Each structure stands twice: as structure tokens, then as C-alpha cells.
């Protein structure tokens, strides 16, 4: 699987910027708007950025969005407004070490800590006893599985109403040949586009926003520490896959099949074999690793169908 070398490629880009003493870019108008619409709360001395929008009247449903590596909550901006028309609260955060949140260093980043960040945010918002619909992507999928494990074992402080995963390793896919040999040109900027489909490539402005989020708060200096989550997936595979396969929480997977990180058809076959209670939506064959950005309409249709099914 290409997950390792793609993630290393993404990591090389901001590190190169340090060596060349390139200053962090200014926020675009779109990123600035996203930032200004958010707030922060303190988690163990670090500031965590989040957005919390009140939406549909007459609904008490809450949806919480968990982003992937190496980006941020801005990954959800294309589906944000439609979600507010369906849910009473739409919430997203930047994990510690990502986006507009603090990026402490040195620091031992872990999936367990990120799950605690999520629980702390919901407590901060007064939602500790509220049933939450989780939507996650990539890195966020693994955080969601730790939250699911805690919910099952009653060791956490989150009541999960449903879980929708999207294009993440789900831990078990790392068994497909997790490590591959290094390849030439890992640090080329265009490699970020390799996880997108050929017809759904980010615009130059969208590439720049990803880059800006990476560089914000010196995020380029913590990527190697954050990347340890890949080893954590391997180490705690039984814990997280066990939570996924044993839960009675409604489960769904939205999958962009042209994903070099989780390649089709191997990924989806293994997922359906192991997680037989989950329903699955496979999007258009040209959609890659970021379905919520590449096909927001398809993503929303699949998600709303899932939500209305239980």
C-alpha cells in the first residue's frame, strides 16, 4: 500500500521549506473566513481550534467531523452548509498538531490523546451526554475507532449515535504491505495531488490552502511526530479493529475507489469481509482519497441516505 511513501512525501514538502527559510504564507480569504468563524478552547495548556454552527430548527441531532492527515477541519468546508440544514449542531475541530490548533514540540502525539481532545471539546460545549453522529476521514477514522472502543467499554465520555468512516486505513489495511521502498521525488509538491482523482484535482488556491494550514503555527516541525500514528495503528490493530467489528452502533463507509492510500478493490473487500454490519457507499470510479472535497454532492447523498436508514 502507498500510504507510507505518500505521507512521507507530504511531510518532506514543509521540511524543505524550513531548510530554505521560506516564511509561512498568508491566509487566503477563504481560510481567514473559516478561522474567524471558529473559536478555541484550552486542552492541557494547548489551544484547540474548533467550529460549532447551529443549524436546523426542530432537530436535536449533532454531527461531529474528524479530519485526516495532514490537513484540518477545513477539509469539511464544501459540505458544511448542507449539514447545517439537516443537523441542529455541526462541529469540527483541528486536532492537536494540525491546522489552527497549537502544535507543541517536542511532544508525543497519539491517537489516544486526540480522542481525549474530542471528548474535552464536547464537554466544553456541554454535549457530554448528547448522542453524537461521528463523520471521519483518514486519520480521523482511527480517532473515531478509539472513541468507539471507549464508548463500548464505558471508559469514555462520548455517546456515539452513529459512525460514518471515509477513506481511512481503518487499521487493518496496514497489513497490505504497510512499508514500501523509498521512491525518487517524494518531496515534489505535485505528489499531494496523487491522492486525488484525475478529474477532481485541487485548484491552485486549494493546494495553497492545504500548504498554509500545514505551515500555520510551525506545523511543518511536528509532522514527523504526528506521523507516528501509523505505528500506533499497527500496534493497536486488535483494539481498534475489534471495536469496529463488535459494535452495534450504526456504521457506514463512504469510499472514493481511486485511492492510492487504500486501493480498490482490496480495501473494500477486506472491509466488507471484516465489518459485515456496516453499509458501504462506493462513489464514482474517478473519486480518490478526499471524497468530501472531490465529490461533495455524492458524499452528502451517501451520508444522508445512511442517516435516514436508522
Amino acid at each position: 500500500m502507498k500510504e507510507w511513501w505518500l505521507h512521507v512525501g507530504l511531510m518532506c514538502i514543509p521540511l524543505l521549506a524550513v531548510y530554505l527559510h521560506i516564511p509561512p504564507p498568508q491566509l487566503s480569504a477563504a481560510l481567514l473566513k473559516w478561522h474567524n468563524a471558529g473559536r478555541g478552547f484550552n486542552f492541557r495548556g494547548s489551544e484547540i481550534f474548533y467550529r460549532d454552527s447551529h443549524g436546523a430548527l426542530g432537530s436535536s441531532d449533532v454531527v461531529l467531523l474528524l479530519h485526516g492527515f495532514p490537513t484540518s477541519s477545513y477539509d469539511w468546508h464544501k459540505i458544511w452548509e448542507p449539514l447545517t440544514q439537516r443537523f441542529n449542531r455541526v462541529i469540527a475541530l483541528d486536532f492537536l498538531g494540525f491546522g489552527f490548533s497549537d502544535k507543541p514540540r517536542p511532544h508525543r502525539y497519539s491517537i489516544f490523546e486526540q480522542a481525549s481532545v474530542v471528548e474535552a471539546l464536547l464537554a466544553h460545549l456541554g454535549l457530554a451526554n448528547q448522542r453524537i453522529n461521528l463523520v471521519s476521514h483518514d486519520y480521523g477514522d482511527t480517532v473515531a475507532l478509539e472513541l468507539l472502543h471507549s464508548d463500548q467499554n464505558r471508559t469514555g465520555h462520548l455517546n456515539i449515535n452513529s459512525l460514518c468512516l471515509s477513506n481511512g486505513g481503518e487499521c487493518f489495511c496496514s497489513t497490505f504491505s504497510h512499508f514500501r521502498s523509498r521512491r525518487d521525488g517524494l518531496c515534489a509538491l505535485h505528489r499531494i495531488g496523487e491522492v486525488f482523482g484525475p478529474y477532481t484535482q485541487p485548484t491552485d488556491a486549494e493546494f495553497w490552502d492545504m500548504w498554509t494550514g500545514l505551515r500555520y503555527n510551525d506545523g511543518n516541525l511536528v509532522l514527523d511526530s504526528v506521523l507516528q500514528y501509523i505505528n500506533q495503528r499497527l500496534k493497536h490493530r486488535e483494539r481498534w479493529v475489534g471495536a469496529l467489528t463488535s459494535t452495534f452502533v450504526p456504521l457506514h463507509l463512504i469510499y472514493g475507489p481511486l485511492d492510492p492510500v487504500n486501493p480498490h478493490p482490496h480495501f473494500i473487500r477486506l472491509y466488507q469481509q471484516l465489518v459485515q454490519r456496516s453499509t458501504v457507499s462506493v462513489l464514482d470510479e474517478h473519486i480518490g482519497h478526499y471524497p468530501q472535497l472531490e465529490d461533495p454532492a455524492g458524499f452528502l447523498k451517501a451520508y444522508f441516505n445512511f442517516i435516514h436508514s436508522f
Side-chain angles (χ1 to χ4, degrees):
M1 192 174 68
K2 299 181 180 179
E3 179 173 355
W4 178 78
W5 65 263
L6 285 171
H7 282 170
V8 171
L10 292 171
M11 186 175 69
C12 286
I13 300 163
L15 291 176
L16 180 62
V18 175
Y19 300 143
L20 298 177
H21 305 289
I22 300 173
Q26 296 295 312
L27 300 184
S28 67
L31 268 185
L32 185 61
K33 181 180 179 181
W34 186 264
H35 177 269
N36 290 344
R39 299 179 181 178
F41 83 102
N42 187 278
F43 175 80
R44 301 175 185 173
S46 293
E47 187 79 359
I48 302 297
F49 173 86
Y50 70 92
R51 284 203 59 180
D52 176 17
S53 292
H54 289 258
L57 298 176
S59 171
S60 60
D61 293 343
V62 178
V63 62
L64 174 63
L65 311 173
L66 306 177
H67 69 81
F69 176 93
T71 41
S72 70
S73 60
Y74 190 64
D75 289 351
W76 306 108
H77 75 279
K78 290 186 178 181
I79 64 172
W80 191 265
E81 289 304 320
L83 288 174
T84 65
Q85 296 171 24
R86 166 60 179 80
F87 291 92
N88 178 256
R89 303 274 291 271
V90 181
I91 302 165
L93 76 158
D94 289 348
F95 290 123
L96 186 68
F98 293 78
F100 295 127
S101 290
D102 282 352
K103 298 167 180 177
R105 65 181 195 277
H107 188 81
R108 294 178 64 87
Y109 291 90
S110 77
I111 295 297
F112 300 101
E113 181 181 46
Q114 304 289 21
S116 295
V117 171
V118 173
E119 292 183 333
L121 171 60
L122 293 175
H124 172 76
L125 296 175
L127 296 172
N129 297 318
Q130 174 76 39
R131 295 191 65 80
I132 304 297
N133 298 286
L134 291 179
V135 180
S136 58
H137 173 246
D138 185 75
Y139 181 94
D141 283 355
T142 309
V143 178
L145 295 188
E146 173 55 26
L147 292 167
L148 187 65
H149 178 274
S150 297
D151 185 40
Q152 288 176 341
N153 292 275
R154 302 185 184 279
T155 57
H157 306 283
L158 179 65
N159 295 316
I160 300 175
N161 189 56
S162 69
L163 172 57
C164 180
L165 306 160
S166 60
N167 285 76
E170 330 309 1
C171 306
F172 52 78
C173 276
S174 49
T175 61
F176 276 136
S177 77
H178 180 71
F179 293 103
R180 291 200 175 194
S181 60
R182 291 178 179 267
R183 301 188 181 194
D184 294 335
L186 282 177
C187 295
L189 181 60
H190 74 271
R191 283 208 179 275
I192 294 179
E194 290 191 7
V195 301
F196 287 77
Y199 308 116
T200 54
Q201 287 286 303
T203 64
D204 289 345
E206 288 169 338
F207 268 123
W208 194 249
D209 284 340
M210 291 178 186
W211 165 251
T212 302
L214 263 163
R215 289 297 313 279
Y216 194 87
N217 280 345
D218 293 326
N220 47 291
L221 301 180
V222 305
L223 280 183
D224 56 339
S225 299
V226 172
L227 199 61
Q228 293 304 310
Y229 85 92
I230 295 178
N231 294 328
Q232 293 166 25
R233 277 181 171 179
L234 290 170
K235 182 177 181 180
H236 302 288
R237 177 185 183 276
E238 183 176 343
R239 174 189 182 97
W240 292 329
V241 174
L244 190 61
T245 57
S246 63
T247 186
F248 289 97
V249 167
L251 288 175
H252 192 65
L253 171 69
I254 300 176
Y255 178 60
L258 199 63
D259 181 359
V261 181
N262 304 289
H264 187 271
H266 309 292
F267 172 85
I268 201 68
R269 287 176 180 170
L270 182 55
Y271 179 85
Q272 291 178 312
Q273 176 186 347
L274 292 179
V275 195
Q276 296 180 8
R277 292 190 63 255
S278 175
T279 52
V280 173
S281 295
V282 179
L283 301 184
D284 184 89
E285 63 182 2
H286 301 298
I287 303 302
H289 185 65
Y290 277 86
Q292 75 275 39
L293 291 175
E294 298 178 61
D295 185 11
F299 190 99
L300 285 166
K301 180 180 179 180
Y303 183 60
F304 288 152
N305 286 341
F306 164 59
I307 285 293
H308 294 149
S309 70
F310 62 89

